[in-house]
Amino acid sequence: LWDGSFFWALGSNTPRGLYKYNADGTYANVYTATNQSVAIYGITTDGTNIYVLGQSASNTNDSTVTQYTMAGVATGTSWEWQNGSGFNARDITIHNNILYLLEDNGHPLYASTIYAITLAGVLISTVATGLNQTQSPHGLMYNEGEFLLAENNGRVYVYTSAGAYTGKVFNLNSGLDNLKGLTYDGTKFWGLS
């Protein structure tokens, strides 16, 4: 996540949490433990708060979205997202104060869904379903009217805001493996692996 001044990354292994880095990539000595006791997947910001998507501790088939301040302090606001059987939440992004959640239904179809959700966790609509160009989506961002879905191997597929595949795909790095996040600093795209 690029917040305009700093990069934020999720540590998905123990200790799980938010890590803050300067623009030059040096560690800014900010770490916040997340309340997710299991896997964490995605991070986004509305410029006022940071939102972290993680696996629910109370029901590991579901996910939790937790809100933090820009200083990395938990606000006490969180809500559960019911993924459904066989589905996995992968990432979140924000545009115009609407959260967009990427969900992957896994084997055998690899078809993904994007949901529009209020910042309070209320479903607005299913934006797109059956997105199947990427077989292991792990990153989602909204940029200039388009959704970008980052695949685990570094390829990024571009969809319209209505979820139609544009035919555009680019590769962050042909050797990149285990891509888990995607952000844009106004000039360049950055991937977290």
Side-chain angles (χ1 to χ4, degrees), residues 47-64:
T48 302
N49 292 297
I50 293 172
Y51 298 84
V52 174
L53 173 68
Q55 188 176 18
S56 171
S58 61
N59 181 349
T60 55
N61 290 322
D62 294 336
S63 298
T64 301

Side-chain angles (χ1 to χ4, degrees), residues 117-191:
I117 304 168
T118 69
L119 295 180
V122 178
L123 177 66
I124 298 170
S125 66
T126 299
V127 175
T129 190
L131 308 177
N132 62 0
Q133 277 70 32
T134 175
Q135 294 189 0
S136 56
H138 285 275
L140 173 69
M141 68 171 290
Y142 187 91
N143 185 60
E144 297 181 358
E146 297 175 320
F147 286 108
L148 284 71
L149 272 69
E151 191 171 69
N152 198 17
N153 63 10
R155 286 189 296 262
V156 178
Y157 295 84
V158 183
Y159 294 83
T160 68
S161 60
Y165 180 52
T166 65
K168 294 187 280 186
V169 61
F170 63 92
N171 207 343
L172 282 180
N173 179 342
S174 58
L176 190 63
D177 188 29
N178 207 21
L179 180 66
K180 296 297 184 190
L182 183 66
T183 194
Y184 183 67
D185 68 4
T187 305
K188 300 175 198 158
F189 288 98
W190 295 83

Side-chain angles (χ1 to χ4, degrees), residues 34-76:
T34 62
N35 66 351
Q36 279 92 355
S37 59
V38 286
I40 51 178
Y41 305 117
I43 182 173
T44 192
T45 184
D46 60 6
T48 302
N49 292 297
I50 293 172
Y51 298 84
V52 174
L53 173 68
Q55 188 176 18
S56 171
S58 61
N59 181 349
T60 55
N61 290 322
D62 294 336
S63 298
T64 301
V65 175
T66 305
Q67 183 186 75
Y68 296 84
T69 68
M70 294 305 292
V73 178
T75 66

